[in-house]
């Protein structure tokens, strides 16, 4: 079998085109959606992500602010900035880029963000709303993006067995919450597997939809996939490759070359789930602005 390649870049572009129309309509009614991103310190990967988020806002018509704070910022200093953003009317959503320097407790930080502005969906109120199927909550961008990819690729989710490998709070657990709901684009039977799961290949082979999100390069082999399954690869891992200019290449959590001979559809890395994540952050920001405006 030659799997269909699910093109995340194209789906993200389609979603952004729809979103830009919604943003224009909001602007016409006097509300410009606003997103702020707080970066503490100089982590190189975080700097890249934050720059990409700012550029994506600019391109689509969302007002954006990037707040850069020094590495030695205290927890009190960051909490004061969060308090300011919670009360800033131009800002409908904001996030604090993780990881944070070690003197700052990230749990305290996430709890301080007003849930109505928590477009990352990391605050316990949003975690609870997503678990309860309350659509006023903000789902975290990555699992939300995966769900949209499945829907927009015409994958039958209802009644399917979705097997998720990886139990993180930002991907695995919310992924299962989203897909198990009694709702359109959901109604799946869900299983979460992890590093202690017994007979893992036996369980992954039951997945009509197999979502790999454990952060281990090329862990999911072809013989762990049910023939004809839809495979979504959330992993982005750098592996050394002296033959490339940068000295490394990006691979997912799935052995793509072999997996695509077994699956019916599969996401590549890069160009799969990655391009969806910032799109879903923009989507959540627009939802936050609409909720604020009562629209
Ligand atoms: N660091 C890596 N990904 C993310 C994300 O989605 N949100 C935040 N706040 N930090 C991150």
């Amino acid at each position: 079998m030659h799997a269909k390649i699910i093109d995340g870049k194209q789906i993200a572009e389609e979603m952004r085109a729809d979103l830009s129309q919604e943003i224009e309509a909001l602007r016409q009614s006097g509300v410009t959606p606003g997103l702020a991103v707080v970066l503490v310190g100089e982590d190189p990967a975080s700097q890249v992500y934050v720059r990409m988020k700012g550029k994506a806002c600019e391109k689509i018509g969302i007002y954006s602010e990037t707040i850069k704070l020094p590495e030695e910022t205290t927890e009190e200093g960051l909490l004061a900035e969060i308090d300011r953003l919670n009360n800033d009317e131009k800002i409908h959503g904001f996030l604090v880029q993780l990881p944070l320097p070690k003197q700052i407790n990230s749990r305290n930080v996430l709890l301080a963000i007003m849930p109505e502005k928590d477009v990352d969906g990391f605050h316990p109120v949003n975690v609870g709303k997503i678990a309860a199927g309350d659509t006023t909550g903000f789902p975290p961008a990555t699992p939300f993006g995966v769900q949209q990819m499945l829907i927009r690729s015409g994958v039958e989710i209802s009644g399917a067995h979705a097997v998720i490998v990886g139990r993180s709070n930002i991907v695995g657990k919310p992924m299962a919450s989203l897909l198990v709901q009694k709702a359109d684009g959901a109604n799946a039977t869900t299983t979460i597997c992890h590093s202690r799961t017994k007979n893992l290949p036996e369980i992954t082979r039951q997945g009509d939809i197999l979502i790999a999100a454990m952060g281990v390069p090329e862990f999911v082999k072809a013989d762990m996939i049910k023939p004809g399954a839809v495979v979504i690869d959330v992993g982005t891992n750098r592996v050394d490759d002296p033959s490339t200019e940068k000295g490394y290449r990006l691979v997912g959590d799935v052995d793509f070359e072999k997996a695509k001979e077994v699956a019916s559809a599969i996401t590549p890395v890069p160009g799969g789930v990655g391009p969806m994540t910032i799109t879903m952050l923009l989507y959540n920001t627009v939802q936050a602005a609409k909720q604020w405006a009562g629209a």
Side-chain angles (χ1 to χ4, degrees):
M1 188 179 297
H2 264 305
K4 173 186 143 193
I5 305 299
I6 300 176
D7 184 346
K9 208 160 160 256
Q10 192 193 326
I11 298 170
E13 274 168 21
E14 286 165 15
M15 286 199 73
R16 288 191 201 198
D18 291 348
L19 265 183
S20 78
Q21 293 192 354
E22 267 198 78
I23 293 164
E24 186 48 36
L26 275 167
R27 288 169 70 123
Q28 296 282 337
S29 70
V31 179
T32 300
L35 174 72
V37 178
V38 183
L39 174 63
V40 187
E42 318 238 311
D43 180 75
S46 293
Q47 285 177 328
V48 173
Y49 291 137
V50 166
R51 209 177 311 127
M52 284 167 68
K53 289 171 186 176
K55 276 193 183 161
C57 285
E58 202 180 304
K59 213 169 155 200
I60 206 165
I62 291 177
Y63 169 74
S64 88
E65 283 181 23
T66 302
I67 296 129
K68 292 187 177 166
L69 301 175
E71 180 78 29
E72 60 277 10
T73 300
T74 61
E75 191 171 304
E76 294 73 42
L78 178 55
L79 292 175
E81 187 59 31
I82 290 172
D83 190 47
R84 187 187 73 72
L85 290 167
N86 280 338
N87 292 292
D88 184 339
E89 293 217 338
K90 292 193 301 301
I91 299 301
H92 302 100
F94 69 97
L95 62 94
V96 178
Q97 190 70 23
L98 302 175
L100 286 167
K102 56 186 176 315
Q103 72 276 15
I104 301 176
N105 179 329
S106 47
R107 188 169 168 272
N108 293 342
V109 169
L110 297 180
L111 283 171
I113 299 173
M114 180 189 278
E116 291 81 0
K117 294 194 179 190
D118 168 42
V119 284
D120 248 344
F122 292 170
H123 190 285
V125 165
N126 283 313
V127 176
K129 282 185 169 184
I130 297 312
D134 177 342
T135 53
T136 66
F138 300 113
T142 303
F144 197 15
V146 169
Q147 184 185 32
Q148 286 299 317
M149 288 177 97
L150 293 169
I151 294 169
R152 286 166 184 262
S153 308
V155 174
E156 180 70 35
I157 304 173
S158 180
H161 187 182
V163 175
I164 300 149
V165 192
R167 57 177 153 183
S168 71
N169 287 335
I170 61 171
V171 185
K173 287 185 213 162
M175 187 80 254
S177 279
L178 288 172
L179 295 180
V180 82
Q181 293 308 320
K182 190 169 189 169
D184 290 343
N187 284 313
T189 301
T190 54
T191 300
I192 302 179
C193 307
H194 48 77
S195 52
R196 301 285 178 93
T197 296
K198 285 184 188 159
N199 306 326
L200 180 71
E202 216 171 274
I203 297 170
T204 57
R205 274 198 297 272
Q206 292 173 32
D208 304 306
I209 299 168
L210 179 60
I211 300 169
M214 75 297 268
V216 182
E218 299 181 325
F219 179 86
V220 174
K221 307 293 181 201
D223 63 4
M224 295 167 71
I225 299 167
K226 177 178 183 172
V230 174
V231 178
I232 306 289
D233 191 348
V234 179
T236 318
N237 309 288
R238 278 186 184 191
V239 295
D240 291 341
D241 185 349
S243 73
T244 64
E245 200 179 311
K246 290 181 178 161
Y248 68 87
R249 68 193 156 87
L250 288 182
V251 300
D253 288 354
V254 176
D255 181 359
F256 179 82
E257 287 305 322
K258 303 256 171 57
K260 74 178 173 22
E261 302 303 321
V262 181
S264 63
I266 188 167
T267 61
V269 176
V273 177
M276 293 297 292
T277 56
I278 291 182
T279 303
M280 301 321 296
L281 176 67
L282 303 176
Y283 183 94
N284 278 348
T285 303
V286 172
Q287 297 313 305
K290 281 163 66 176
Q291 287 177 17
W292 183 84

